[in-house]
Amino acid sequence: MFHMTGTHAGFGKLTEAVRSEAVLSTTQNPRATFERSRVTRSGIGATFEGNLTLQGVVRPVTLDARIYRERGSDMGDLSTLVLHITGDLDRNEFGASGDANLV
C-alpha cells in the first residue's frame, strides 16, 4: 500500500498540484495498492510485476526494487532494510490527467 497523501513533488506549489483533485485526488483517494503477480530476482534487487490500483483504476505495471541496508548499520545487519522502488506509468491511464501544464 502506498500512502498518496505523503506524495511530494519537489516544492510546495507543485506538490499541491500533484495532490489536487485534478491529478491524484489524494483527499478522496488517500491510498494506492499494488498486488504482485510475479517477482524476478536481479542483482541487489528484484522486478515486481502486478496490478496497481490508483484512484480506483487497476492497470498492470512493472516496478524495479533495489534493497539496501540502513545507512550506518553493520555489514551483516539485515534487521532493517531500505527498499527503493522505481517504475514508469502513464498517469492518464489512471484518470490523473489534470494540470498538464504544471505536472
Side-chain angles (χ1 to χ4, degrees):
M1 180 178 347
F2 303 97
H3 295 279
M4 302 307 292
T5 53
T7 300
H8 294 280
F11 63 94
K13 289 293 184 188
L14 185 55
T15 295
E16 288 176 24
V18 169
R19 291 180 183 174
S20 74
E21 190 171 327
V23 183
L24 290 178
S25 189
T26 60
T27 301
Q28 292 80 15
N29 302 286
R31 294 185 188 96
T33 58
F34 177 75
E35 186 175 327
R36 69 171 170 78
S37 57
R38 182 176 171 188
V39 178
T40 307
R41 188 175 177 181
S42 60
I44 62 167
T47 298
F48 294 87
E49 295 176 43
N51 290 317
L52 177 65
T53 302
L54 182 61
Q55 298 193 135
V57 178
V58 181
R59 295 284 185 266
V61 297
T62 300
L63 302 174
D64 292 312
R66 298 293 176 246
I67 303 169
Y68 304 94
R69 284 181 295 108
E70 189 164 344
R71 182 174 285 157
S73 64
D74 292 330
M75 181 75 98
D77 182 6
L78 302 179
S79 63
T80 303
L81 299 174
V82 176
L83 189 63
H84 182 212
I85 301 171
T86 59
D88 294 317
L89 59 92
D90 181 347
R91 67 186 179 116
N92 294 304
E93 293 181 1
F94 294 92
S97 56
D99 286 335
N101 60 330
L102 293 175
V103 287

